[in-house]
Amino acid sequence: MTVAELLADPRFLLHRIDPVAGMATFVPTAPERLSKPSFIDGRTDFSTAPPVEVSFDALLQTEPIRPPGPNRMIFHVAFCGSTLLARLVEQEGASFVLKEPNALVDLANWKSSGVDERFGPVLRFALGSLRRPWSAEDLVVVKPSNWVNNLLGELATDPAGLRPLFITMAPRAYAIAVMRGGRDRLAFAARTAAHLAPMLPSGREWLQSAIAATSDPIGRATNLALVALRVQERLFSTTFPAAGAVTLDAETISARPSEAIRRADSILKLDLDMERACADASERAAINAKRPGFAFSADAREQEDQEVVRHHGPTIDASLAWAARVLA
């Protein structure tokens, strides 16, 4: 198979980008193997055959992929219902959602570590590759990891154009959601803050203040989570001045999924069969979006959140007061 044939075949998903080795890795797959996992970042095996590696030189010497239409993307702040929304707007014969493809995370890490002249062409190539539809009826939507939010400026200027949808969350709800996930989620939120804060002029000062504000490790982690939230919201609004017009909040997705579907359909221009999508919404919302096969209960989630507040309410309140003073 030639490189051109590989790039023309959507069954080969661009999975890894290694700027040190100068190699891109494609994984042979199928739609049903991509739609089931909550994340296609490598945690779940979605391959149907061994991977194929291609050098950057070979890729960039090949005619670039230019599937029609803009890059449709769901950006988010993490822990805010984005995976559920991705499942709600996925509809056979209309839209197919790639949930957190790893290649974009590799590009985000490349940017953080320092880029060279290959970065822009490889990024444009990656976007074209991910936009390849499975059929003429499908519109591809990409829901990147929020780690990719440091690429918003580059994504906004891609020649294909960008049709973004942003998902954010109220600070208190976000702090509770982060704490609900325990130590691992708190650590990820802190890493996100450190990863994205340098994108803003005041970002490093916010990081320093978050740590200096308290000696309590959980309080510091909660402060850093709120820095992560605020930095991402600021990146959304500074990169896209009209971001407010294309934003969904987490509460709408969880409490009113049909309303969230209609708004996402309007923003992303998916032309979904709305009657069908809304009829499926209740069933899909009753499944744990991150753990397919397991049920989700809004009442159980509310009890979990109440338990978080019972144990950590004063810490959350202190962090919110700090954020109101420092991150305004």
Side-chain angles (χ1 to χ4, degrees):
M1 175 179 282
T2 67
V3 175
E5 290 171 336
L6 177 75
L7 300 185
D9 190 341
R11 290 176 299 177
F12 290 87
L13 178 77
L14 177 63
H15 181 54
R16 290 200 175 280
I17 292 175
D18 184 345
V20 176
M23 301 293 291
T25 301
F26 293 81
V27 173
T29 187
E32 60 273 13
R33 293 187 69 89
L34 289 179
S35 62
K36 185 177 180 180
S38 299
F39 311 100
I40 54 172
D41 55 7
R43 280 177 269 185
T44 302
D45 180 16
F46 52 82
S47 64
T48 56
V52 178
E53 291 191 337
V54 181
S55 71
F56 286 179
D57 288 341
L59 289 178
L60 300 179
Q61 289 170 10
T62 305
E63 185 68 21
I65 307 164
R66 294 191 180 93
N71 298 297
R72 291 174 167 85
M73 290 190 159
I74 299 173
F75 299 102
H76 59 96
V77 297
F79 323 128
C80 59
S82 63
T83 305
L84 173 58
L85 182 69
R87 294 197 180 281
L88 292 173
V89 301
E90 194 164 49
Q91 189 173 94
E92 186 176 354
S95 62
F96 189 88
V97 184
L98 295 174
K99 307 173 193 74
E100 308 205 3
N102 182 75
L104 292 177
V105 173
D106 285 344
L107 284 161
N109 286 330
W110 186 1
K111 180 176 179 180
S112 290
S113 62
V115 301
D116 54 45
E117 69 279 358
R118 302 170 301 166
F119 178 77
V122 172
L123 172 62
R124 290 190 292 274
F125 155 80
L127 293 173
S129 178
L130 294 174
R131 208 166 62 248
R132 292 174 297 175
W134 291 100
S135 70
E137 294 78 26
D138 282 331
L139 294 174
V140 176
V141 179
V142 177
K143 181 185 83 76
S145 162
N146 71 315
W147 198 258
V148 172
N149 286 337
N150 68 328
L151 296 178
L152 280 166
E154 288 83 359
L155 297 174
T157 57
D158 184 68
L162 180 63
R163 193 178 296 282
L165 183 155
F166 300 103
I167 305 175
T168 188
M169 199 170 189
R172 182 176 180 81
Y174 188 78
I176 292 171
V178 172
M179 280 196 165
R180 187 199 318 126
R183 185 175 301 175
D184 289 347
R185 192 173 283 189
L186 282 164
F188 177 78
R191 291 197 303 272
T192 300
H195 172 63
L196 296 176
M199 299 292 297
L200 296 181
S202 55
R204 288 186 173 87
E205 293 178 12
W206 289 353
L207 292 176
Q208 293 169 357
S209 178
I211 294 168
T214 177
S215 59
D216 173 30
I218 296 179
R220 287 178 171 176
T222 308
N223 289 352
L224 288 169
L226 293 174
V227 170
L229 174 65
R230 183 57 177 148
V231 167
Q232 290 175 101
E233 291 178 329
R234 184 70 65 85
L235 289 173
F236 295 165
S237 63
T238 55
T239 309
F240 300 89
V246 291
T247 296
L248 262 175
D249 65 275
E251 196 273 337
T252 300
I253 297 169
S254 61
R256 301 184 298 280
S258 292
E259 179 182 333
I261 294 170
R262 293 181 186 279
R263 182 150 171 75
D265 178 73
S266 174
I267 292 169
L268 295 170
K269 306 298 182 187
L270 299 177
D271 196 23
L272 298 176
D273 179 336
M274 199 55 61
E275 183 177 352
R276 177 177 152 203
C278 291
D280 291 343
S282 296
E283 180 180 347
R284 293 185 180 186
I287 298 171
N288 191 313
K290 289 184 169 63
R291 300 180 68 199
F294 290 82
F296 173 82
S297 165
D299 289 340
R301 175 56 51 82
E302 177 62 25
Q303 290 176 7
E304 291 171 354
D305 288 348
Q306 290 176 1
E307 191 69 8
V308 168
V309 172
R310 188 171 72 85
H311 284 284
H312 301 289
T315 300
I316 293 171
D317 290 342
S319 288
L320 291 170
W322 168 83
R325 293 192 307 272
V326 177
L327 307 182

